[in-house]
Amino acid sequence: MHAGPDDVAEALAARLLARLVEIQRDFRIPQIGLTGGRIATKAYQRLAAEGARSAVDWSRVELWWGDERFVPAGHSDRNDTQALELLVEPLPLSTDRIHPMPASDAGLDLDRAAEDYARELGSTVLDVCLLGMGPDGHVASIFPEHPSSYETGGVIAVRSSPKPPPERISLTLPVINRSREVWFLVSGSDKAAAAKMALLGAGPVQVPAAGVSAVDRTLWLLDRDAAAELPADLQQRGRI
């Protein structure tokens, strides 16, 4: 548990740098699923500042996204916009290893865009999938009691999203759950009730975050406000 959102972001950046080095020491190319949101943006700022001085070979890092708003490329609503604006210039990333989800101005309709990303992703297993969580317990663009929460395919077209914009592309829970590790980034008192429900076993349709379980480790990086409703013993099990 961390004091506040800045501490969550700092912990995320430090953990990710260390994990990337470990994966590359095993002679593997890290497969990382990025997310959007305030904490992720703060963490990307830290990666941009410190990453070039690290032992990470950024030209051998694959970047994917867990979900995306189906709006034009470069739009401020897109999760990839801020991430790439922050990371591309300071870090020697290979453009061939950056996999943004299709934008609405790419000449594809929403269904075709989701199908194309599913083909691009293929059977890729993410080493680390970063996820935020909404106050309603949604993850990526999988929302409670919404058609997206029932999907079992790979990459889906999401319509009538409860949170604007209404059209999105998202990985499904089965694809998220085949990740080696999933790291949740959660801050704020408005997330406390959802964090409690997710960690105490609510149903994945009612609280999609409760349905996330990575192959090796599911890690929750929370600040004090987000963890305020959790029982004390839960905070001592190595997941938070």
Side-chain angles (χ1 to χ4, degrees):
M1 185 171 60
H2 301 277
D6 288 349
D7 300 281
V8 174
E10 182 176 347
L12 167 61
R15 283 177 177 271
L16 189 56
L17 286 173
R19 189 71 189 104
L20 289 170
V21 171
E22 289 173 353
I23 293 167
Q24 291 183 338
R25 282 177 179 164
D26 289 337
F27 302 101
R28 293 195 297 111
I29 296 173
Q31 308 288 333
I32 307 299
L34 300 184
T35 187
R38 291 169 296 176
I39 295 178
T41 298
K42 289 177 180 290
Y44 301 153
Q45 289 171 336
R46 193 169 187 87
L47 287 176
E50 300 181 3
R53 300 192 300 271
S54 73
V56 177
D57 179 354
W58 292 99
S59 69
R60 296 179 62 253
V61 175
E62 300 265 353
L63 299 180
W64 303 87
W65 273 262
D67 77 316
E68 192 55 270
R69 287 79 176 257
F70 196 57
V71 294
H75 194 288
S76 59
D77 279 349
R78 285 184 62 89
N79 289 329
D80 65 12
T81 298
Q82 281 192 318
L84 295 178
E85 285 177 352
L86 288 168
L87 298 176
V88 165
E89 185 173 342
L91 303 179
L93 294 161
S94 169
T95 56
D96 292 340
R97 298 191 188 277
I98 300 174
H99 307 277
M101 289 183 167
S104 63
D105 56 353
L108 303 172
D109 63 24
L110 182 62
D111 291 309
R112 179 68 180 278
E115 291 168 4
D116 273 19
Y117 203 69
R119 279 192 293 270
E120 186 172 1
L121 181 66
S123 59
T124 300
V125 172
L126 298 176
D127 289 290
V128 178
C129 179
L130 304 179
L131 288 179
M133 182 188 70
D136 60 355
H138 85 263
V139 293
S141 286
I142 305 169
F143 295 93
E145 304 287 355
H146 182 270
S148 57
S149 66
Y150 294 91
E151 292 282 358
T152 58
V155 181
I156 57 170
V158 178
R159 292 181 171 82
S160 302
S161 162
K163 182 180 178 181
E167 293 190 337
R168 296 158 176 252
I169 302 170
S170 182
L171 303 187
T172 61
L173 283 178
V175 173
I176 291 170
N177 287 344
R178 78 187 185 201
S179 303
R180 291 185 173 89
E181 299 186 29
V182 171
W183 299 358
F184 276 97
L185 326 171
V186 186
S187 72
S189 58
D190 60 331
K191 311 287 181 67
K196 178 181 178 181
M197 288 188 288
L199 283 161
L200 294 183
V205 172
Q206 294 76 26
V207 183
V212 174
S213 180
V215 172
D216 293 334
R217 179 169 67 161
T218 303
L219 175 70
W220 287 74
L221 299 171
L222 299 94
D223 68 5
R224 288 197 184 106
D225 288 341
E229 297 188 23
L230 298 179
D233 65 309
L234 189 61
Q235 300 178 22
Q236 299 172 7
R237 296 181 188 174
R239 299 179 67 194
I240 299 174

